[in-house]
Amino acid sequence: MAEETGASQEARPRARNRVFLCVVDDTEELHAALEFASLRAKRLPNTRVGIAYVIDAPADFQHWAAVGDLMREEARDEAEQNLLRAASQVQRWSGKIPVVYVREGPMIDELIALIQEDEDVALLILGADVGPQGPGPLVSSLTGKQIGRLRVPLVIVPGNLSDEELESLA
């Protein structure tokens, strides 16, 4: 009988952890995306917010290796500062420690690769600039030609929503 119990436990899928992924940058609309994702994750078991920062790979400085190394170090420092601020906000809103990702390379390619590699990523949540210049380059790209490369739903949160509106929607 003990064997049957073990077999039935193996047949049961593990409790799936879900990650609501947000891309950390220096835009104002990031606030809306992080707050929405955090409030939503707070209400759902086994769900956390993931925060990703993609460092744009600097040009290859073969003759100026020290310059390239310094640029990478400065970019890494900037990433850490932005991620620390975002992680603090996520933890305050959701009560959960976020999953942190740092990638280096072209933004769209790295973001899509991350989503493909991490099966726990369940949603990509982005904030949209509501100004006259449009929603922003990342949202524009992912809602255009790149949309077919995503394996998860894309949630776009207008950057001008109030905290009360975000709370009611999440």
Side-chain angles (χ1 to χ4, degrees):
M1 198 151 193
E3 288 180 32
E4 289 177 27
T5 304
S8 65
Q9 285 178 348
E10 287 177 22
R12 262 188 266 144
R14 73 172 176 89
R16 177 114 190 235
N17 293 315
R18 288 181 296 195
V19 173
F20 293 167
L21 184 63
C22 295
V23 178
V24 175
D25 55 21
D26 58 359
T27 61
E28 289 183 31
E29 58 269 16
L30 172 63
H31 174 90
L34 284 178
E35 187 172 356
F36 177 82
S38 298
L39 294 172
R40 189 75 185 127
K42 182 179 184 176
R43 294 186 171 118
L44 297 171
N46 300 322
T47 304
R48 293 170 50 196
V49 174
I51 51 176
Y53 191 96
V54 179
I55 299 169
D56 189 29
D60 192 18
F61 290 96
Q62 291 180 0
H63 299 296
W64 300 82
V67 173
D69 290 344
L70 180 61
M71 289 175 69
R72 279 186 193 86
E73 186 177 327
E74 288 174 355
R76 180 66 86 171
D77 288 344
E78 181 182 342
E80 288 175 9
Q81 293 304 313
N82 285 327
L83 286 167
L84 282 172
R85 279 192 296 277
S88 175
Q89 291 176 318
V90 167
Q91 190 165 5
R92 187 175 69 246
W93 287 319
S94 72
K96 302 174 184 178
I97 296 171
V99 180
V100 177
Y101 306 91
V102 178
R103 305 286 287 230
E104 186 173 325
M107 171 67 83
I108 299 295
D109 293 339
E110 289 300 320
L111 185 57
I112 290 171
L114 169 60
I115 292 168
Q116 296 299 332
E117 293 166 13
D118 189 338
E119 292 181 9
D120 288 341
V121 174
L123 290 176
L124 175 58
I125 301 175
L126 300 176
D129 188 345
V130 294
Q133 64 275 16
L138 186 56
V139 172
S140 295
S141 181
L142 289 173
T143 56
K145 294 179 181 179
Q146 302 297 331
I147 191 77
R149 295 177 63 195
L150 292 176
R151 68 158 188 80
V152 298
L154 171 62
V155 176
I156 302 171
V157 182
N160 63 346
L161 296 178
S162 69
D163 291 342
E164 294 78 24
E165 290 170 318
L166 289 166
E167 176 78 34
S168 71
L169 292 170

